[in-house]
Amino acid sequence: MERTYKIAIIDDETEILNMLSRFLTKNGKFSVTTFSNPVHGVSAVERDDFDLVLLDIMMPQMNGLEALEKIMKSKEDQKVVIMTAYSTLDRVLKSHKVGATNYVMKPFDSLQALETKITEVLKS
């Protein structure tokens, strides 16, 4: 039997959280926990073991780079994929410098492409 990967999704848009959760859990490969508040999401990632964190960069309570910094301080080997609709080279470079494993653009080209990227990151 294949392993189930634990994924935390931190995004202030509940539609995105619901869509990703439904899509990623449908085949049983992923167990998903969602957080619409980045403060709660970061503290859950700090105290629990997740194989991967999908992290939105633009959120009102705490931006994604701040959240990423907090996560990487407590778990330097945590795999984090940044999700952004506002990709600037500066943000992408900063997120990699802070420790992001990869990033994806919103809106997603396709959920299948996102799943492929997630699988690649988990196996790296």
Side-chain angles (χ1 to χ4, degrees), residues 33-115:
T33 307
T34 61
F35 303 93
S36 58
N37 182 319
V39 176
H40 298 154
V42 167
S43 69
V45 170
E46 287 173 338
R47 71 174 179 271
D48 211 342
D49 285 325
F50 288 95
D51 297 298
L52 178 77
V53 178
L54 284 176
L55 177 63
D56 187 27
I57 211 143
M58 297 294 284
M59 296 178 284
Q61 303 94 331
M62 173 192 299
N63 77 47
L65 285 174
E66 292 169 330
L68 179 63
E69 284 173 1
K70 287 178 183 280
I71 290 168
M72 298 319 287
K73 268 192 188 125
S74 68
K75 295 198 169 173
E76 57 189 39
D77 58 349
Q78 178 67 62
K79 292 181 181 191
V80 179
V81 174
I82 294 289
M83 301 183 292
T84 182
Y86 311 95
S87 182
T88 65
L89 186 57
D90 182 50
R91 276 208 186 102
V92 170
L93 292 173
K94 264 192 193 134
S95 67
H96 275 288
K97 203 159 126 183
V98 174
T101 314
N102 213 319
Y103 79 99
V104 292
M105 293 297 298
K106 286 164 54 177
F108 308 111
D109 291 336
S110 80
L111 291 174
Q112 283 74 19
L114 176 64
E115 184 179 7

Side-chain angles (χ1 to χ4, degrees), residues 9-44:
I9 306 173
I10 305 171
D11 194 314
D12 61 311
E13 296 177 62
T14 51
E15 310 80 47
I16 299 269
L17 292 174
N18 294 337
M19 175 190 65
L20 289 175
S21 182
R22 273 195 311 273
F23 178 77
L24 292 172
T25 57
K26 74 178 182 343
N27 63 12
K29 273 189 358 191
F30 307 110
S31 159
V32 174
T33 307
T34 61
F35 303 93
S36 58
N37 182 319
V39 176
H40 298 154
V42 167
S43 69

